[in-house]
Amino acid sequence: MGLTSNKTLLLAVLCAVLLFVGTVWLWPRLARRNLRAVGGRVGLLLATQLALFVSLGLAANQAFGFYASWADLFGWETDQGVVVDHTEGLGSGGPLRVVDTQRVKETGGLRPQVGGQIQKVAIVGRTTGIATPAYVYLPPEYFQPQYRTRTFPAAVVLTGYPGTAQALVDKLRYPRTAWKLAENGRMQPMILVMLRPTVAPPRDTECVDIPGGPQTESFFARDLPDAVLAHYRVGEKPGSWGIIGDSTGGYCALKLAMHHPEVYAAGAGLSAYYNAPSDPTTGDLFHGDRELRDRANLWWYLKHRPAPDTSLLVTSSKVGEANYKDTLKFIERVKNTGRTRISSIILESGGHNFNTWRREIPATLQWIGGRLGDH
C-alpha cells in the first residue's frame, strides 16, 4: 500500500484503536510489580503511542503533500533526478513527453473543450540534463476550434520543499481555481506548468546552479520554458511567462523573476523567504563561490544589482507567519528601486500551510494573469 493511500491511513488508525482498547483491557492483568508485567505495560504504551504517531503523520502527509511515496519519505527515490544524456539529441520524444491525461474535477465538463485538461508530463532539460515530472493544466479554450491558432500565457507553479506536484492539483487546486476564475471572466485563460523545485531529490537545491552539481536555476530559466514552448501553444514574446511558488517555491519564484526578467514578467512568492538557507537538506550550495552566494541573496541583489524590470507579489500574515517583518522590509526595499514593481497580500492571520495558501491563490492567479500578455 502506498504512503498516500487511504487504506494505509485506515490501517494505521485501526491499529491505534485496537492497541488502545487492548491496553485498557489488559491493564488490570499487568498491574503487578514483576518484570514481566512492567515490560508489558511499557510495551503496550509505546506501541499505542507509535501507532497514534504514525496515524497523525500519515494524515498530515495526505493533507499537506510532504512526501509522495515510501521511497520519497526514506530517501530511497531513484527514478527521478539529474540525468545526463550523452547521445545526440533527446530521441523522438523531445524534451517533453505526455505520459497521462486527466480531467479537471468539479468543472462540470468531461470534455477538455468544456472543463480543460491536466496532462502529466516528463521533462528533460536540453542543456542541464535535469529530468523531472510535472503537471500541465490546459484551459478549455486551448481545445476549442475558434482558438486553434491562438497562443496562451503560461505560469510555472512550484511547491515548497519537499512537496509533491500532485498536491498542487489536488490540495491547492490550482487547475480548478484557474478554470473558475476564467469561467467567471476574472482571469484570462492561462496554461499552468506545475512541479516541485526539488528536481534532484532528496536534495533541496534552492533553485541554484550548484558548482559541479544540478544546474537548477538554468533548468527553470531556460530548459523548462523551451520544453513547454516546443510542445504547447505558449506565447514566445516577452511578457508571456510568470512564476508562482509557496515557501521554498516562493523564494525560487521571486529569485527567477528577478534574475531572469526577460523570461518571467511576473513572480509571486507565497510565504516566501528571501535568502537561500544552508542546512543538511541543501548541502553545500555554493562551494566557496561568494558571487554565487551573494546572487542567491535577494536582499543583496536588490542593493547591488540593477533593479530588474519585472513585477513581484509577496504574501504573509500579521499573525502566524514567521516572514511577516521580513516581507514588509522586502516591500520597502523593492519600492525604493524605482523600477521593479511590488504588490502584496497580507492576511490578518494565517500559517505556513495549505489552508492559508488556498486563501491567497485566487487573488494571486488574477494578479499574475493581469500582468502576462495575451497573444
Side-chain angles (χ1 to χ4, degrees):
M1 292 184 290
L3 178 65
T4 58
S5 168
N6 288 329
K7 292 181 180 179
T8 304
L9 177 59
L10 182 61
L11 180 61
V13 172
L14 181 61
C15 287
V17 171
L18 290 176
L19 282 167
F20 175 77
V21 173
T23 300
V24 174
W25 181 262
L26 294 172
W27 198 261
R29 302 183 185 182
L30 299 173
R32 300 174 183 176
R33 295 186 178 181
N34 58 56
L35 186 61
R36 184 178 179 181
V38 172
R41 294 199 300 270
V42 171
L44 281 173
L45 288 174
L46 286 178
T48 303
Q49 289 180 345
L50 179 62
L52 181 60
F53 176 79
V54 169
S55 300
L56 290 174
L58 289 170
N61 188 65
Q62 284 207 18
F64 297 106
F66 297 121
Y67 299 97
S69 65
W70 295 108
D72 193 15
L73 173 63
F74 293 110
W76 299 334
E77 193 176 53
T78 58
D79 59 339
Q80 302 173 16
V82 180
V83 177
V84 179
D85 188 353
H86 295 284
T87 60
E88 185 174 353
L90 293 169
S92 58
L96 187 149
R97 181 171 55 90
V98 178
V99 298
D100 193 19
T101 62
Q102 63 187 77
R103 69 183 184 91
V104 182
K105 297 177 182 178
E106 299 181 19
T107 60
L110 297 177
R111 296 183 303 144
Q113 295 92 334
V114 177
Q117 188 178 80
I118 299 168
Q119 298 186 349
K120 185 176 182 179
V121 302
I123 299 172
V124 179
R126 288 187 181 275
T127 64
T128 62
I130 288 177
T132 188
Y135 290 91
V136 177
Y137 163 70
L138 301 172
E141 290 81 2
Y142 191 88
F143 301 96
Q144 295 170 3
Q146 63 268 36
Y147 296 106
R148 64 183 180 276
T149 61
R150 173 181 169 179
T151 58
F152 292 81
V156 174
V157 184
L158 301 176
T159 70
Y161 174 83
T164 65
Q166 184 70 46
L168 296 170
V169 177
D170 295 339
K171 306 299 183 183
L172 291 177
R173 308 166 189 162
Y174 271 97
R176 188 194 318 177
T177 304
W179 176 87
K180 186 175 182 179
L181 289 171
E183 179 74 5
N184 294 335
R186 296 165 59 191
M187 185 188 81
Q188 64 173 317
M190 186 165 58
I191 293 173
L192 303 179
V193 184
M194 298 166 284
L195 67 165
R196 60 181 187 172
T198 314
V199 294
R203 187 176 188 182
D204 176 13
T205 62
E206 294 290 325
C207 298
V208 169
D209 281 348
I210 302 173
Q215 302 296 287
T216 314
E217 181 170 347
S218 294
F219 172 79
F220 284 110
R222 182 169 60 240
D223 285 349
L224 178 61
D226 285 350
V228 174
L229 282 166
H231 196 89
Y232 299 105
R233 301 196 313 273
V234 177
E236 299 183 34
K237 297 179 181 179
S240 297
W241 284 79
I243 185 166
I244 305 168
D246 59 73
S247 192
T248 297
Y251 161 74
C252 288
L254 296 175
K255 180 172 69 174
L256 286 161
M258 291 170 64
H259 288 185
H260 305 278
E262 75 285 357
V263 178
Y264 295 111
L270 281 57
S271 302
Y273 46 87
Y274 307 102
N275 189 19
S278 179
D279 56 39
T281 66
T282 66
D284 187 355
L285 293 174
F286 309 115
H287 293 267
D289 188 328
R290 182 175 179 179
E291 181 180 355
L292 188 63
R293 184 183 69 246
D294 288 342
R295 194 168 178 271
N297 185 330
L298 303 188
W299 303 106
W300 182 94
Y301 198 85
L302 284 171
K303 184 176 180 180
H304 296 279
R305 294 294 178 87
D309 184 13
T310 191
S311 297
L312 304 177
L313 171 70
V314 291
T315 79
S316 189
S317 303
K318 294 179 181 179
V319 177
E321 279 279 24
N323 77 333
Y324 175 60
K325 291 183 179 179
D326 279 347
T327 296
L328 296 183
K329 293 177 183 176
F330 187 79
I331 292 169
E332 291 303 314
R333 183 73 60 88
V334 174
K335 285 167 60 178
N336 289 335
T337 66
R339 188 183 189 198
T340 305
R341 297 161 295 282
I342 185 73
S343 302
S344 67
I345 299 173
I346 305 295
L347 302 178
E348 289 298 320
S349 65
H352 199 81
N353 55 54
F354 280 12
N355 182 58
T356 297
W357 299 330
R358 279 194 292 264
R359 295 159 61 197
E360 298 167 342
I361 286 170
T364 298
L365 284 173
Q366 282 186 270
W367 175 88
I368 206 162
R371 280 152 182 79
L372 302 184
D374 179 6
H375 307 293

